[in-house]
Amino acid sequence: MSATPELSSLEANLTSTLVAKIRDFAIFMLTPDGRVATWNAGAARAKGYAAEEIIGKSFACFYTPEDQEMAVPAQALATARANGIFEATGWRVRKDGSHFWAHVVIDPLYDDDGALIGFGKVTRDITRAREAREREERAREALLQARTEQSQHLLRLFEQAPGFVCFFRGPTHVYELQNEAHHRLAGLRDIIGKPVREALPELEGQGFFELLDTVYTSGKPYVGRAVPITVESAGGGKVDSFIDLVYQPIFDENGEVLGIVSQGSDVTEQVLGARSLGEKQLELERTIEERTRALDDARQALALANELQISNAFFQSLFEQAPGFICVLKGPDHVFDLANDAYRRLVGQRELAGKAVRDVLPDAAGQGFFELLDQVYQTGKPVVGQSVQLDLKETPSKTVTRFIDFVYQPILNAQNQSVGIFVQGNDVTKQKLAQDEVQKYQRELEQLVQARTEELQSAQAALQHAQKLEAIGKLTGGVAHDFNNILQVIGGNLQLLRDGMAGDARALKQLDTASGAVERGAKLAAQLLAFARRQPLQPRVVDPAGIVQQMDELLRCAVGETIAVETIRSGGLWNTCVDPYQLENVILNLAINARDAMRDGGRLTIELGNALLDDDYAALHHDLTPGQYVMIAVSDNGCGMSKETLERACEPFFTTKPEGQGTGLGLSMAYGFVKQTGGHFKIYSEVGHGTTIKMYFPRSYQAEAAERVLKSGPVTGGDETILVVEDDPAVQATVVEMVRSLGYTVMKADNAAAAMVILNSGIPIDLLFTDVVMPGAMRSPELARQARALHPGIEVLFTSGYTQNAIVHDGKLDAGVQLLSKPYAREQLARKLRQMLTKQHAAQAAPPSAPELEKLALTRHVLFVDDDADVLSMTCSLLELLNQRVDGAANPQDALALLERNQYEVLITDYDLPGMNGIELARKAMAAQPQLKVVIATGYGQVAEAAQIGAITMPKPFKPDDLKRILA
């Protein structure tokens, strides 16, 4: 290469080995007037010129003729000199005349005196990248076009549907879509975007608003036949009609209710014609149908759902989830184009797409359907069928008879010619058979209506009472949550103040008074949580008679000497699984209520017995499961309650006592505790004759569990690191100060996301102390799980003033969860932290014994069963270290499933398992695998039944040597 004299020095640097050999970029120098001064391998590869061919020539030859005519090359050099750089993309020309899309950068170069000595230019061929972007853009446009055409096709079907169709969104039922038929039904009013109560106010009192609310909250469809409706016409007058309608909930991909599609037709003419056949029979049929449907709605109106946004596949979802059968036939041969799931079920899941109706349904020949299709296609006029019989072959030898309502609606093109048929209808077999039965047994209708009406009234009354208490429970639970946070701040700061007032007796007395008020507030909040069924229960299997017996002296002191206390216990009393401390509290509260009802003395009777609540009784109480229960009744012969008082007796803060003599929380707390335990609560009372309160708790088939005694221990701190996660600033500041005052190193976070930043930082954390309820996408159990994954030895302590399903299920804490309920005292916090951290240190300090175990020579396939997660994990690890193949199960159901899939040589099972004891599990296992050797692990000593089935008893706690001895 050669260069001009003024560039000789710079050229020596730029034409080094590295630049010269670069092939992906064309890198070369230009003289101040735009002639090529240097040339590298990338330039030769991209532009096709050898160095001796191009050096000394103008770089304008790289531009298209059009750019050269517009002086683009000179403008590029001028821009680079004026702005310090020129950067652009555009077409460039190779030596052979071919074009490529290039990215170009030009930089001006100056000597030490600031004089321009030339330009540096870098060019890269980006043709492939440009072509890839263009392909992606074309693909996106094609996909958008296809989706648009599909939506337009479905919209045409929606608009031409013969019956009225509309879509309501959200809990207020906002009109989002309607077809022409519905627009006419609504009096041609502008209703899109309006809630139904605002769009059609004249429907108030006709029941439609309430039905929409029920369908939305329950997620269950509603079907109405010949429902009367009065709407305003376009001229302003009232129009009375009868309609068949379906309210069908629409679900999103997560199974949540999105809105409701309403579909139906005007059946006024049919209803008026049928009236002439007998007004009495029609009235009875409609009454029983309405009563039966209302009863079903009352039993189903318990579930709640959240509003979500509709997906992009909205029209397809409406079509597939339509309650009636729908299909679209094309052409004179009636070829299936579309069919929803209801239609495929109607015809027995036959192959439909692309086939003519006569080929798919040959067994429908001779029944008139094919002829009607031909008629509709040729005339362009719709046909409506009511309760038409349809016989189809389910198997070659079995014919199924159905009755259907249907509409054949012609689909017309822009020239008003038939191009297909829209088929819509419903399988009304059940309704037709029901009508036949009504005609057959007409004399029994009045009696049936009366029975259904009484049952409906009873169910509605129970439902309304339960809903009322549920609503009050949610309110009181939320109040208790906020109240507990406030009490935590007040109580924590009072305890922190105490440390600085050791010598001030007056101040300490004032602090004691304030602390006492906090304790009373905490007790009040606990009673509210009990009613709201949000208290964290710790149930165990107990003998209820033993609990009542232990309370005898306490009860006699509580009710006084003027009241006689009598306890009646039936023989063979069953066990139940409850929180014993809460049960004692409930019985004591009921006894005090009874004492207040017997001002002049009387008799308090506590009765314990077994009870069977059958299906008939459960049918009258929507939240009751039939089965065996343990009944505890508390009776008095006091003043009794009026009917009005009974209806409100379980409401929190409701009391008939004078002001200052009761909070009104005793019965509400008892009611909430029984319901949270899965039981049943009933009050019987009559004015002047006393009151009996019966509590039913589910029977437990397990043996009574030994009571766990927790040591309180001294109030001590430590030097470990604790991460506090709390979103309430006041509570967080108080808790952080309390923990720091105990000597711990404290880190704090406002939410789970902030806590994860600290956990991911690598800072060693010994214990995570987190509120259960936190803002943000990550919930506290997930935070705990990720914390344990990042810090395997970390301890997790939850706190809350309002327990939710995050850590509480079926009314009790999840297994292995540690919870400190708000408000808590500094001493409670200190003992809990020390207890958990001491356990952690003991586990870390324990010498690893597993590597020192001598492995067994013989390897067996072992199934180990224990419902304690720690015991299960530890024992399975020990068995693996002993050279055994081991599978673990946390309950009998999982164990039986493993026994069905695998062959085992040894079964080691805990005796005390949920739902089934170890002996029962062993019998089933040996029946399935007779060669199985069984070991019963138990803390109850020798189990007599073990020897009867040939099993070995292994006492708990067992050691690795015990396992070796058993397996050897």
Side-chain angles (χ1 to χ4, degrees), residues 784-920:
R785 187 191 68 78
Q786 295 198 27
R788 291 189 177 103
L790 293 169
H791 301 264
I794 196 172
E795 292 289 335
V796 178
L797 176 58
F798 292 98
T799 182
S800 180
Y802 178 70
T803 57
Q804 293 184 334
N805 286 343
I807 61 172
V808 175
H809 294 84
D810 298 326
K812 60 182 180 180
L813 287 174
D814 293 343
V817 170
Q818 297 288 339
L819 174 69
L820 185 61
S821 296
K822 295 179 181 177
Y824 47 81
R826 181 172 177 266
E827 291 76 9
Q828 293 174 290
L829 175 62
R831 291 193 178 101
K832 193 67 176 178
L833 292 175
R834 198 65 258 150
Q835 177 191 14
M836 296 180 68
L837 291 170
T838 302
K839 175 183 175 183
Q840 177 195 61
H841 294 325
Q844 294 173 349
S849 57
E852 300 174 4
L853 289 177
E854 181 180 356
K855 295 184 178 180
L856 294 170
L858 180 60
T859 300
R860 295 181 177 86
H861 198 179
V862 179
L863 174 59
F864 182 75
V865 187
D866 199 301
D867 61 336
D868 188 306
D870 294 335
V871 173
L872 179 65
S873 175
M874 179 271 294
T875 307
C876 287
S877 298
L878 280 176
L879 289 168
E880 289 174 352
L881 290 171
L882 289 171
N883 199 30
Q884 305 301 299
R885 292 174 55 213
V886 59
D887 292 329
N891 55 65
Q893 291 72 30
D894 291 349
L896 292 172
L898 287 170
L899 285 162
E900 289 180 359
R901 297 195 298 267
N902 306 312
Q903 288 293 320
Y904 295 94
E905 296 167 82
V906 181
L907 167 65
I908 304 177
T909 176
D910 188 22
Y911 176 80
D912 192 4
L913 294 172
M916 180 189 304
N917 65 39
I919 296 295
E920 294 170 340

Side-chain angles (χ1 to χ4, degrees), residues 752-778:
M756 285 303 302
V757 173
I758 297 174
L759 291 166
N760 280 304
S761 67
I763 299 173
I765 306 295
D766 297 294
L767 185 141
L768 171 65
F769 185 30
T770 176
D771 196 357
V772 173
V773 183
M774 287 189 300
M778 183 181 293

Side-chain angles (χ1 to χ4, degrees), residues 178 183 186-194 199:
Q178 66 168 345
H183 195 198
L188 302 178
R189 280 175 282 183
D190 182 13
I191 62 175
I192 298 300
K194 298 179 180 179

